[in-house]
Amino acid sequence: MKRTHNPNKSKVHRSYTVEEVALRFGVHKRTVRNWIKKGLSVCDDKRPLLILGSDLRQFLKQQRQEYKRTCKPCELYCFKCREPRLPDQNTLEFIEETSTKGRVIAACSVCNSRLNKYFSLKNITSIQRDLAVILPLQHKHIG
Ligand SMILES: [Zn+2]
């Protein structure tokens, strides 16, 4: 699952190479390159790439907010819209994954891409109520 990192670990008056960021935050270098793709600014195109501590901090703060911008109970997070979205009621499905865990899948009511939400089966009643649906829990058939 997605993890968030403490933005304050990034010192504002420093700059870091990709390797240093990876080391500092205990992530893979590939993760840092992903951050760059997702909008983390680098100083210039020269190698090694340098990332300003202040930029890094700002970026991680944003990431964290995005992650924290948790959905209302009736919403699922859409990775395409990058917003919590209401699911299309006609597409809602509850799937029992294990004896304790389930998953809601539905289509995003805005962009139609697939939404996913994991939940603990003991919360199924409130989840179903929140999503305003009364659907029988469907068992996942394997094979
Ligand atoms: Zn969407």
Side-chain angles (χ1 to χ4, degrees):
M1 281 258 83
K2 200 165 149 187
R3 284 172 54 202
T4 56
H5 302 280
N6 183 359
N8 298 331
K9 269 193 185 174
S10 172
K11 301 285 166 240
V12 181
H13 300 292
R14 271 211 55 180
S15 56
Y16 302 97
T17 63
V18 169
E19 285 77 10
E20 284 167 341
V21 174
L23 211 64
R24 194 160 184 91
F25 287 89
V27 296
H28 198 275
K29 279 186 280 183
R30 221 180 297 140
T31 306
V32 182
R33 289 201 198 96
N34 264 330
W35 291 351
I36 294 170
K37 269 190 218 147
K38 279 161 87 180
L40 171 63
S41 352
V42 289
C43 293
D44 51 40
D45 290 336
K46 285 192 206 102
R47 305 269 160 180
L49 291 174
L50 277 184
I51 297 152
L52 289 179
S54 52
D55 285 344
L56 180 58
R57 184 181 283 207
Q58 188 56 36
F59 176 80
L60 291 175
K61 267 190 190 157
Q62 267 171 17
Q63 291 284 104
R64 203 187 224 188
Q65 253 164 19
E66 204 164 291
Y67 185 71
K68 265 196 185 160
R69 195 167 41 169
T70 43
C71 308
K72 292 191 205 100
C74 59
E75 292 173 328
L76 305 184
Y77 189 82
C78 177
F79 283 95
K80 199 165 173 206
C81 300
R82 310 184 101 205
E83 297 275 355
R85 293 291 194 207
L86 286 172
D88 178 342
Q89 291 284 324
N90 301 320
T91 63
L92 269 172
E93 251 184 284
F94 290 83
I95 297 168
E96 193 177 323
E97 297 255 305
T98 67
S99 56
T100 55
K101 245 177 39 183
R103 185 154 65 107
V104 186
I105 54 171
C108 171
S109 56
V110 175
C111 74
N112 222 28
S113 73
R114 198 163 129 123
L115 309 176
N116 248 305
K117 187 181 201 170
Y118 288 87
F119 60 90
S120 164
L121 280 190
K122 55 178 198 275
N123 299 331
I124 180 79
T125 327
S126 68
I127 298 247
Q128 285 183 324
R129 191 192 50 227
D130 293 338
L131 292 168
V133 280
I134 305 143
L135 282 178
L137 189 63
Q138 294 186 16
H139 288 264
K140 192 181 182 184
H141 297 288
I142 300 156

